[in-house]
């Protein structure tokens, strides 16, 4: 069975989801980030796994469900931090971030039979999930992160290594207010959608509609 890794930042005002301000305040953006992280962690908790690991920049809070190991992120760029997360795994591992609260346990139930890697592209050109049957940190180091070509470079890195890659569904990250509205509509009963509705009511904004 697979280790499920979540890489995340502690949802503190001014440190997370800064592209949501405006229309939201830093406190509201942090509350939205916390809701997205909570939805993500609960989906991971409900998916089959041998280990569930939160690779965290910051300190855990009441949003963390039971059953998770919490380990600190290492220093360095995102590629280095992702590589370090995989280096902590001795067997198959799937890593996701905190930006796709619409994720479900079914999407996280991966089978490496016939594949060496799983790759979940994001609509912004990045990726929301990366799974490796045999974790190799070198597959991530040096990949340019947070660009429109991040996903393409990472996918090519996998294929150039001779890995058989299974494509996962394309998902939308929450970066902007318009993203937030679109993602909340995909999971209308989640914590993120509920928090977005409360924040939008307070700001009186159309949140991109």
């Amino acid at each position: 069975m697979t280790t499920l890794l979540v890489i995340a930042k502690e949802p503190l005002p001014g440190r997370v989801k800064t592209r949501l301000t405006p229309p939201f305040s830093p406190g509201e953006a942090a509350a939205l980030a916390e809701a997205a992280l909570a939805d993500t962690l609960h989906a991971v908790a409900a998916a089959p796994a041998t280990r569930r690991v939160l690779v965290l920049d910051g300190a855990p809070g009441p949003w963390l469900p039971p059953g998770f190991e919490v380990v600190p992120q290492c220093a360095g760029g995102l590629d280095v931090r992702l590589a370090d997360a995989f280096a902590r795994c001795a067997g198959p591992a799937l890593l996701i971030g905190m930006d796709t609260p619409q994720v479900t346990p079914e999407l996280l139930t991966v089978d490496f039979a016939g594949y060496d890697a799983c790759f979940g592209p994001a609509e912004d050109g990045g990726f929301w999930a990366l799974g490796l049957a045999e974790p190799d940190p070198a597959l991530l180091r040096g990949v340019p992160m947070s660009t429109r070509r991040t996903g393409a470079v990472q996918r090519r890195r996998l294929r150039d290594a001779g890995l058989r890659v299974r494509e996962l569904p394309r998902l939308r990250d929450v970066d902007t207010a318009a993203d937030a509205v679109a993602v909340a509509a995909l999971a209308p009963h989640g914590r993120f959608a509920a928090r977005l509705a409360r924040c939008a009511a307070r700001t009186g904004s159309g949140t991109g509609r």
Side-chain angles (χ1 to χ4, degrees):
M1 207 175 286
T2 304
T3 294
L4 294 178
L5 301 158
V6 180
I7 189 162
K9 286 183 180 180
E10 182 183 359
L12 297 175
R15 294 196 67 236
V16 290
K17 295 297 165 209
T18 55
R19 291 174 62 188
L20 293 177
T21 57
F24 301 110
S25 69
E28 288 168 335
L32 287 166
E34 180 177 327
L37 178 55
D39 279 343
T40 301
L41 292 173
H42 279 81
V44 170
T50 51
R51 296 172 64 205
R52 296 172 182 86
V53 183
L54 175 62
V55 187
L56 184 64
D57 177 1
W63 37 262
L64 178 65
F68 281 80
E69 301 172 42
V70 181
V71 299
Q73 290 184 28
C74 71
L78 181 56
D79 62 317
V80 174
R81 287 178 279 139
L82 294 180
D84 181 70
F86 276 108
R88 300 172 184 268
C89 303
L94 178 72
L95 180 145
I96 65 171
M98 59 184 285
D99 297 334
T100 51
Q102 73 274 40
V103 74
T104 64
E106 291 74 24
L107 285 172
L108 300 175
T109 305
V110 298
D111 182 357
F112 287 99
Y115 297 94
D116 304 303
C118 294
F119 182 81
E123 290 189 5
D124 63 3
F127 58 91
W128 67 269
L130 179 63
L132 297 171
E134 297 182 7
D136 179 359
L139 292 169
L140 291 108
R141 295 191 189 107
V143 173
M145 295 290 163
S146 303
T147 76
R148 294 291 300 177
R149 65 189 187 95
T150 295
V153 174
Q154 184 64 74
R155 186 191 284 107
R156 186 166 60 248
R157 181 76 70 87
L158 300 175
R159 295 196 184 279
D160 287 350
L163 303 185
R164 299 164 296 172
V165 181
R166 174 190 171 193
E167 291 281 326
L168 301 178
R170 184 180 300 271
L171 296 186
R172 184 169 182 169
D173 287 336
V174 174
D175 291 318
T176 66
D179 293 332
V181 171
V183 168
L186 296 172
H189 304 298
R191 298 165 184 78
F192 181 78
R195 176 60 67 179
L196 179 65
R198 290 197 291 273
C199 290
R202 282 199 299 269
T203 62
S205 75
T207 60
R209 288 182 177 174

